[in-house]
Amino acid sequence: MKRLREVMEKNGWEGFLVTQPINVNYVSHYTGADSYLLFTRSKKYFLTDPRYTEQASKECPDYEIFEWRPFGSLGKAVAHLTDQEGLSNLAYEASHLTVSQYRVMEADIRAELVPTEGVIEEFRSVKSPEEIHCLKAACEIASRAFEQILKEIRVGVTEKELAAKLSLFMVMEGADTQPYGNILISGARTSLLHGIPSEKAVEYGDLVLMDYGCQYHGYLSDMTRTVVVGRATSRQREVYALEQKMVQSVEDFLKDGVSAADAYSESTKVIEGTEYFPYHYTGIGHGVGMFVHEVPFMGPKSGDMVRENNVMTVEPGIYIPGWGGIRIEDQGLIRKDGFENLISAPKELIEL
Ligand SMILES: [Mn+2]
């Protein structure tokens, strides 16, 4: 709240409307859905409907609870409040308002509407000790589930069965029950960056790529390991070794104050001049918190800086259509002087 009010003051915003669901939860500690926040320089309104008024009054006792439904639309309710408060302008989250919501607001609100981008997302990128605690726990749960899923991978088991078991293992290890879409793919399908688990059964010689994570008290983990079923071929070994080096060079580079674009360049140095260079993907990592992909983003065009207490993934990969892909993804905490990996699952080539 303190930081938001400072940003409002600095930019001359008299009101700030929060509509992005995770931002609502982050700022207010509300755990429900379909609610919005409106801040003036001195007041805090919680806009919700009768399904959530009781929950909101318990979880957010320092907000004025305001039911928006009697006004017919969020826009009309916000117009009522901005008039009541005499606001001459209202900042809003431009990436998280639908066109129809905007049209209603524009028609009814007399205050000037000021589009903003990434204000609360920027706050969210630097994690507090409590958030780091939850993120560590989510990473530990995912790493423990990895040990268990290895025992289940064998010829004949389908990707879907394995993906379902992975989710079960994480919940049994302490994850929240909210589902999280696991990627668990095998064979040539592993070149699909975000492939969906299918009815395909695991075959001898397959790569099995598992990109997954869980939620712990609302905070997420995101990790990837790729294993070989049976003996690895020489090409599988070669690509795996390059992939390990790419991951390591990025992790060795990361610390407070480096640029996310420079971190990307570290990853490609390893494969420059090899036949594998054309098969890398440029998005090699991202922040993780209450949402799985958040700032900072690592890639050649990123303007983001990496900061102490960011929690982010490192996940360069090599994807060869028709052959397969290999990705190793760690999630770690940015320290003043380095990267602390929170994923304890082994990164050496595993032949099952
Ligand atoms: Mn990821």
Side-chain angles (χ1 to χ4, degrees), residues 5-280:
R5 289 240 161 85
E6 280 166 12
V7 172
M8 288 172 69
E9 187 102 10
K10 195 174 125 224
N11 289 286
W13 303 333
E14 295 183 4
F16 193 94
L17 178 67
V18 184
T19 52
Q20 204 277 342
I22 292 171
N23 290 346
V24 169
N25 298 357
Y26 176 80
V27 175
S28 69
H29 301 295
Y30 168 68
T31 59
D34 291 339
S35 299
Y36 314 93
L37 309 175
L38 191 149
F39 299 106
T40 70
R41 299 271 175 91
S42 59
K43 286 193 174 161
K44 297 155 71 164
Y45 288 102
F46 192 97
L47 286 76
T48 191
D49 65 62
R51 290 173 300 163
Y52 296 111
T53 44
E54 185 186 350
Q55 184 180 351
S57 60
K58 282 184 182 143
E59 292 180 341
C60 314
D62 50 342
Y63 281 76
E64 285 185 45
I65 311 291
F66 187 85
E67 287 190 20
W68 63 268
R69 278 208 196 272
F71 292 85
S73 72
L74 176 66
K76 286 192 164 55
V78 171
H80 173 85
L81 286 174
T82 51
D83 279 354
Q84 183 184 300
E85 295 294 328
L87 304 182
S88 66
N89 63 42
L90 176 69
Y92 67 96
E93 300 184 294
S95 313
H96 302 291
L97 205 61
T98 65
V99 173
S100 58
Q101 281 174 326
Y102 180 78
R103 283 198 179 133
V104 175
M105 295 220 309
E106 195 187 29
D108 291 314
I109 296 177
R110 272 181 286 210
E112 179 202 352
L113 292 171
V114 185
T116 72
E117 297 274 357
V119 175
I120 292 165
E121 284 80 354
E122 184 71 34
F123 302 155
R124 274 174 38 201
S125 72
V126 177
K127 270 64 181 181
S128 70
E130 295 76 28
E131 291 181 294
I132 291 167
H133 169 81
C134 292
L135 288 159
K136 274 187 180 168
C139 288
E140 283 161 11
I141 290 166
S143 294
R144 291 200 295 272
F146 180 72
E147 299 298 330
Q148 298 181 43
I149 198 68
L150 287 182
K151 297 176 200 147
E152 305 290 330
I153 299 173
R154 59 176 70 89
V155 171
V157 188
T158 69
E159 296 170 357
K160 272 168 83 169
E161 284 176 80
L162 289 169
K165 282 187 173 162
L166 196 46
S167 295
L168 173 69
F169 293 150
M170 287 189 284
V171 172
M172 298 312 281
E173 288 291 335
D176 301 348
T177 51
Q178 272 86 346
Y180 180 133
N182 297 329
I183 296 170
L184 193 152
I185 47 182
S186 63
R189 302 189 77 240
T190 50
S191 65
L192 303 170
L193 273 83
H194 275 187
I196 293 169
S198 74
E199 304 284 359
K200 180 190 170 298
V202 170
E203 292 166 55
Y204 186 87
D206 273 359
L207 293 163
V208 175
L209 185 152
M210 294 163 270
D211 180 346
Y212 67 99
C214 67
Q215 186 170 313
Y216 178 79
H217 293 191
Y219 286 84
L220 303 176
S221 55
D222 185 15
M223 62 169 281
T224 307
R225 291 293 184 266
T226 309
V227 300
V228 178
V229 180
R231 274 297 157 117
T233 64
S234 59
R235 197 176 194 203
Q236 286 170 337
R237 282 178 186 285
E238 183 189 3
V239 177
Y240 197 94
L242 284 173
E243 167 66 8
Q244 271 182 302
K245 276 190 201 160
M246 288 171 83
V247 172
Q248 198 55 51
S249 58
V250 177
E251 292 184 7
D252 290 345
F253 177 78
L254 286 174
K255 61 178 180 184
D256 179 53
V258 300
S259 108
D262 289 349
Y264 163 77
S265 307
E266 286 301 310
S267 76
T268 51
K269 276 180 193 166
V270 176
I271 49 168
E272 258 158 37
T274 75
E275 64 179 290
Y276 298 110
F277 184 82
Y279 300 113
H280 80 279

Side-chain angles (χ1 to χ4, degrees), residues 211 222 286 293 313 315 329:
D211 180 346
D222 185 15
H286 52 85
H293 299 130
T313 69
E315 51 174 316
E329 175 181 24

